[in-house]
Amino acid sequence: MARDPIPQLDDRFSDPNATPTPWSIATQVLSQAELYWLTTVRAAGRPHVTPLIGLADDGAFYFCTGLREQKAHNLERNQRVAVTTGTNAWASGLDVVVEGAASRVTDTEDLKRAADAYEAKYGSFWHWDVRDGMLASGDNEAALFRVEPSKVLAFAKDPHGQTRYRLS
């Protein structure tokens, strides 16, 4: 994720005792999460939301998908996405939302780094080889996408506070 953006607490949606969530805490939640929710936009403008695994690293969020999947079709028309992770509890934890544009990654070295990072984070079940600009596992292939954040929000729950990060 971006480096040291300025956190701003939104008083309209925050408890009077809330303070801005430090960027280091938001990025820790993004990096350590096992599951994320990706929202893409269908051709007709309806949202498409799906759970997936991913990586937060190097100022961005990475995910992969097969090119025949709905999210890949959606990204062909509209690169705007939202990535969400956190907890489903009301009074504890931290939820983080990343909004931005997803672009396809095809560079062999970048794909190898991502393949290694997936296996390090999720274990050998998520072992990928790199071939022809794709991540490959047996007969399965997946395209890697990088989300450059344009807006990041953190929603603290004890006390409730909404932090927006100004990205440079």
Side-chain angles (χ1 to χ4, degrees):
M1 294 287 111
R3 311 273 190 295
D4 298 322
I6 299 168
Q8 294 182 314
L9 187 69
D10 191 329
D11 294 330
R12 299 172 301 168
F13 308 112
S14 301
D15 183 280
N17 296 321
T19 59
T21 299
W23 181 244
S24 61
I25 301 297
T27 58
Q28 180 179 17
V29 167
L30 286 167
S31 296
Q32 293 178 353
E34 292 182 7
L35 189 66
Y36 306 85
W37 292 88
L38 176 73
T39 304
T40 58
V41 182
R42 295 175 188 265
R46 289 183 301 123
H48 172 72
V49 183
T50 186
L52 49 65
I53 63 172
L55 307 165
D57 187 41
D58 192 32
F61 177 79
Y62 296 85
F63 67 93
C64 58
T65 184
L67 292 178
R68 295 183 304 179
E69 294 185 37
Q70 184 64 52
K71 56 189 164 293
H73 293 297
N74 296 345
L75 290 168
E76 288 176 7
R77 294 176 196 87
N78 187 337
Q79 293 181 306
R80 291 179 292 199
V81 300
V83 179
T84 308
T85 195
T87 65
N88 63 355
W90 165 247
S92 63
L94 181 72
D95 298 327
V96 180
V97 177
V98 175
E99 296 178 4
S103 59
R104 178 100 180 264
V105 176
T106 57
D107 177 76
T108 300
E109 290 306 312
D110 291 340
L111 289 167
K112 286 180 182 177
R113 275 192 296 280
D116 291 344
Y118 268 107
E119 191 163 354
K121 183 173 182 180
Y122 294 102
S124 61
F125 182 81
W126 288 101
H127 173 80
W128 293 106
D129 295 312
V130 175
R131 67 173 176 245
D132 301 325
M134 302 280 284
L135 297 175
S137 179
D139 292 336
N140 297 319
E141 290 186 331
L144 181 68
F145 289 86
R146 175 185 170 102
V147 178
E148 292 288 341
S150 58
K151 180 179 182 180
V152 177
L153 297 169
F155 298 90
K157 300 175 184 178
D158 186 22
H160 285 87
Q162 179 179 314
T163 302
R164 178 180 179 162
Y165 303 94
R166 290 206 175 270
L167 304 172
S168 53

